[in-house]
Amino acid sequence: MSYSKGVIKKVSGPLVIAEGMRDANMFDVVRVSDEKLVGEIIEMHGDRASIQVYEETSGLGPGGEVESTGAPLSVELGPGLIKSIYDGIQRPLDELVRKVGNNLTRGVTVPALDRNKKWSFDAAAKVGDRVSGGDIIGTVKETAVVTQRIMIPPNVSGTIVSIKSGSYTIMDTVAVVETEKGEKINIQLMQKWPVRIGRPYKSKLPLDIPLLTGQRNVDTIFPIAKGGVAAIPGPFGSGKTVVQHQLAKWAAADIIVYIGCGERGNEMTDVLNEFPELKDVRTGTSLMERTVLIANTSDMPVAAREASISTGITIAEYFRDMGYSVALMADSTSRWAEALREMSGRLEEMPGEEGYPAYLGSRLAQFYERAGYVKTLGSDDREGALSVIGAVSPPGGDISEPVSQATLRIVKVFWGLDSALAYKRHFPAINWLNSYSLYQDSLGVWFNKNVGEDWTALRARFMLILQEEAELEEIVKLVGMDALSAEDRLKMEAARSIREDFLMQDAMHEIDTYASLNKQYKMMKLILQFYDEAKDALANGFDIEKLISLPIRERIGRIKYVEENKFDAEYEDISHKINVEINKYAAKEEI
């Protein structure tokens, strides 16, 4: 088959203008110059194509040849994805290194999935079965914890005329489907899908189940739904990457897709070093056994950042279609937006605010709307979830800039990181006064039903105390702590306990790094129990200084370091001792 060929007319950084491309289509992948650099057509005017090149373009000049491949930018989906490390256009970095060494040369192409490795296919369908897009015809055990469900491609339906279990490469035919028109279609372990188009599903479902993370600041205060979308804006050094690493490690998702979109190389190095070594609390194996990494670091071409987001979410949708719960981390969408801004400027488009393209908001929306809790294609009523958590890196932490504002109009959870909290070593540095979760009302019903019927009420009291503390701090700054009433001083102490004992969580501590819902619930109850009983004691004229210095407060603060299997017993003991110590003090006994 002959494809459209053209000639380079202009080179401007990652943008190449080629003429003679009349037969090419928008979003076709092209090969640029004799070096066969990978590019994608992003604009067409007659026979003139504007091409976004995903590799370094230095040395290119007018007159070079451009050839269209006749296919859009697509990803390969099949066994071999898990544990892989890709760049923004799904080139496996370990294979590239094996082929050309550490200094990656331009124009090198390596298949995303290994063509030679054989996989054990266990057929679930049989000859004569009617199948349509999304139906599972068999499985492949990919890692110790992930079984790939081999599905009929979305646009195929018919009757299975051949299928057999066995050992196959991803290019071998494992089944043959005959359509109603008599056409026979070979089904392989691998399928391709264009990254710019979301994979289809039957319907979206309500977002009323939380994506549990083991992070108290998230699960209790600002929860995200399974299939929901969240943003983590924050200035440099406030802990965006640490929060995303924690969510990747502990979120109750079957599959993790982590996109390093233009972040510094050392951050992705941390991921590459940590994840294989980290023991997954849910499976007991390495976290990489259920993870796909896209390492598109800041020293890679800017244009490739833009592709990495689409590549990552398409891979995530593929696992969602199998019926898995998938969590995607994008770190960070600001770098992706900078790639859009550069290409828009080189295309000489009318700029929007701060030079970003006028369509920045719609492009962000197209990305985030691919998340969701869905009923997948297929006849077995599978449900799959894709949750998207995107970091935003506003310069100086100023969230009034365009990327943050466009993101906030789309996402339902805002975890605003505060550099002041980070400098105080308060991690995660999520500011409780300006963060929010719009899923709180729908998820509160789930928490009340599955954890404790007063969960929502306890959380509401926590938030009220923290807000009242902020108001009291203004008074303290003006006239000092001594000017406060005893009741207000107790409220300040309760707020400090909430901040330091509950909201602060040590990601590096082997126990405190993860807190079950039972632990979070009972920690809330202990803090509020002490506050309520101390307030009653104050009403009876007891001294505030003695109350807030009772020894039991130390045990309340340290219960987060108690192992889960010993936690309930410790909780019961502390709950009993709170009352005992306050009563002893009331009786003027030595404690």
Side-chain angles (χ1 to χ4, degrees):
M1 186 180 292
S2 62
Y3 295 115
S4 182
K5 291 187 177 181
V7 178
I8 296 174
K9 288 298 177 184
K10 176 185 174 183
V11 179
S12 173
L15 176 67
V16 169
I17 308 294
E19 289 185 345
M21 305 290 291
R22 185 172 298 277
D23 296 331
N25 297 310
M26 277 284 287
F27 302 122
D28 273 3
V29 173
V30 297
R31 295 291 181 177
V32 180
S33 80
D34 295 336
E35 296 188 61
K36 304 295 183 187
L37 307 186
V38 179
E40 180 186 19
I41 296 175
I42 57 173
E43 197 172 85
M44 290 288 295
H45 293 289
D47 71 339
R48 175 175 282 221
S50 299
I51 299 163
Q52 179 170 258
V53 180
Y54 293 123
E55 300 182 72
E56 179 58 51
T57 58
S58 59
L60 294 190
E65 186 178 80
V66 175
E67 182 177 9
S68 170
T69 63
L73 183 65
S74 302
V75 289
E76 295 181 353
L77 304 169
L81 283 172
I82 300 295
K83 298 170 70 171
S84 294
I85 304 162
Y86 296 112
D87 71 357
I89 50 176
Q90 212 199 6
R91 294 183 301 183
L93 294 180
D94 50 353
E95 288 299 320
L96 285 176
V97 169
R98 275 195 278 273
K99 188 170 183 178
V100 298
N102 288 332
N103 296 320
L104 302 184
T105 53
R106 299 188 299 180
V108 180
T109 56
V110 178
L113 298 177
D114 191 335
R115 298 294 194 263
N116 299 316
K117 183 173 181 178
K118 291 206 167 188
W119 301 91
S120 179
F121 172 71
D122 185 15
K126 60 185 184 298
V127 173
D129 284 355
R130 290 277 306 162
V131 292
S132 58
D135 282 341
I136 295 170
I137 59 168
T139 57
V140 169
K141 187 75 171 172
E142 185 171 6
T143 69
V145 296
V146 175
T147 298
Q148 277 220 18
R149 296 155 186 171
I150 306 304
M151 299 174 290
I152 297 291
N155 54 353
V156 174
S157 63
T159 304
I160 294 178
V161 294
S162 169
I163 187 169
K164 187 179 180 182
S165 299
S167 184
Y168 299 98
T169 69
I170 58 169
M171 303 302 291
D172 291 337
T173 298
V174 298
V176 178
V177 173
E178 184 174 349
T179 67
E180 291 181 357
K181 296 179 180 179
E183 181 186 1
K184 291 190 176 180
I185 298 173
N186 294 332
I187 306 298
Q188 303 169 326
L189 295 182
M190 180 189 79
Q191 52 181 276
K192 287 192 172 185
W193 191 264
V195 300
R196 306 291 181 190
I197 302 171
R199 285 177 64 87
Y201 50 82
K202 283 181 185 174
S203 61
K204 282 201 170 181
L205 299 169
L207 302 180
D208 52 12
I209 301 172
L211 177 69
L212 302 177
T213 66
Q215 309 306 300
R216 294 186 290 272
N217 223 322
V218 173
D219 292 345
T220 301
I221 309 299
F222 306 113
I224 178 174
K226 190 174 283 191
V229 290
I232 314 176
F236 173 79
S238 59
K240 295 184 297 296
T241 303
V242 173
V243 171
Q244 285 202 312
H245 285 196
Q246 282 296 95
L247 297 178
K249 292 172 187 175
W250 303 113
D254 303 307
I255 308 290
I256 301 294
V257 179
Y258 194 101
I259 308 171
C261 180
E263 288 303 295
R264 299 183 308 283
N266 60 339
E267 293 185 355
M268 282 310 296
T269 303
D270 287 343
V271 176
L272 299 179
N273 288 335
E274 272 188 38
F275 280 27
E277 298 295 324
L278 190 79
K279 187 176 179 181
D280 186 354
V281 69
R282 297 169 64 237
T283 63
T285 60
S286 165
L287 189 63
M288 282 301 291
E289 296 285 314
R290 58 183 180 96
T291 301
V292 182
L293 295 178
I294 296 176
N296 204 74
T297 57
S298 53
D299 58 347
M300 291 179 172
V302 171
R305 300 178 191 173
E306 199 265 327
S308 61
I309 289 281
S310 301
T311 296
I313 200 158
T314 306
I315 292 171
E317 286 177 329
Y318 174 64
F319 286 105
R320 175 208 68 190
D321 290 348
M322 295 181 196
Y324 287 124
S325 172
V326 186
L328 180 141
M329 314 290 162
D331 187 13
S332 85
T333 55
S334 293
R335 306 286 173 257
W336 170 79
E338 286 165 8
L340 284 183
R341 179 168 61 181
E342 174 165 347
M343 293 308 299
S344 177
R346 293 186 184 279
L347 287 167
E348 299 177 1
E349 296 172 337
M350 183 68 73
E353 189 180 354
E354 293 188 22
Y356 287 101
Y359 49 78
L360 171 66
S362 63
R363 286 288 182 87
L364 277 166
Q366 286 168 15
F367 167 62
Y368 281 110
E369 73 179 3
R370 290 172 73 170
Y373 187 36
V374 304
K375 187 163 284 191
T376 67
L377 296 182
S379 56
D380 58 352
D381 285 333
R382 292 192 307 280
E383 294 178 359
L386 170 51
S387 312
V388 175
I389 297 155
V392 186
S393 309
D398 177 17
I399 63 168
S400 65
E401 58 87 43
V403 181
S404 299
Q405 288 302 307
T407 303
L408 291 182
R409 285 195 290 269
I410 300 160
V411 300
K412 299 291 190 290
V413 178
F414 172 70
W415 295 318
L417 299 185
D418 189 332
S419 57
L421 286 174
Y423 294 149
K424 293 175 184 175
R425 297 292 184 265
H426 185 295
F427 286 103
I430 296 174
N431 188 312
W432 48 87
L433 296 177
N434 59 19
S435 300
Y436 59 82
S437 170
L438 299 183
Y439 299 121
Q440 176 57 42
D441 289 344
S442 58
L443 297 181
V445 176
W446 187 93
F447 283 115
N448 287 344
K449 181 179 178 183
N450 292 278
V451 187
E453 60 184 16
D454 55 345
W455 174 284
T456 304
L458 294 176
R459 178 198 174 274
R461 290 194 63 195
F462 260 35
M463 294 304 296
L464 180 62
I465 291 170
L466 290 170
Q467 287 162 1
E468 290 177 342
E469 180 205 28
E471 296 166 5
L472 291 171
E473 277 183 339
E474 298 300 319
I475 299 172
V476 171
K477 286 176 185 175
L478 289 172
V479 294
M481 183 70 78
D482 293 339
L484 294 181
S485 66
E487 189 172 332
D488 283 343
R489 284 197 62 191
L490 181 62
K491 191 174 292 179
M492 293 285 281
E493 283 296 318
R496 186 167 72 88
S497 184
I498 293 169
R499 287 188 284 106
E500 297 179 3
D501 302 338
F502 188 87
L503 297 182
M504 281 179 68
Q505 192 165 354
D506 189 347
M508 304 303 171
H509 193 279
E510 61 179 357
I511 297 172
D512 195 37
T513 186
Y514 179 89
S516 67
L517 287 183
N518 175 60
K519 194 172 192 177
Q520 297 180 46
Y521 173 62
K522 289 180 176 175
M523 285 175 69
M524 279 198 290
K525 293 191 76 168
L526 281 181
I527 292 169
L528 291 173
Q529 181 189 344
F530 179 84
Y531 174 59
D532 290 338
E533 295 197 20
K535 192 160 64 169
D536 289 342
L538 275 183
N540 291 324
F542 300 145
D543 181 48
I544 179 66
E545 293 292 347
K546 292 276 181 65
L547 275 174
I548 62 178
S549 58
L550 289 176
I552 196 64
R553 294 198 66 208
E554 175 74 14
R555 288 186 66 189
I556 294 172
R558 299 195 62 79
I559 196 171
K560 60 184 176 182
Y561 302 117
V562 175
E563 295 175 16
E564 292 283 351
N565 59 351
K566 300 175 182 175
F567 180 82
D568 284 341
E570 181 73 0
Y571 164 77
E572 294 295 341
D573 188 50
I574 293 175
S575 180
H576 172 68
K577 291 282 177 59
I578 288 173
N579 188 264
V580 168
E581 286 198 6
I582 290 177
N583 286 338
K584 277 187 177 180
Y585 164 61
K588 302 291 188 293
E589 294 179 23
E590 192 68 31
I591 296 173

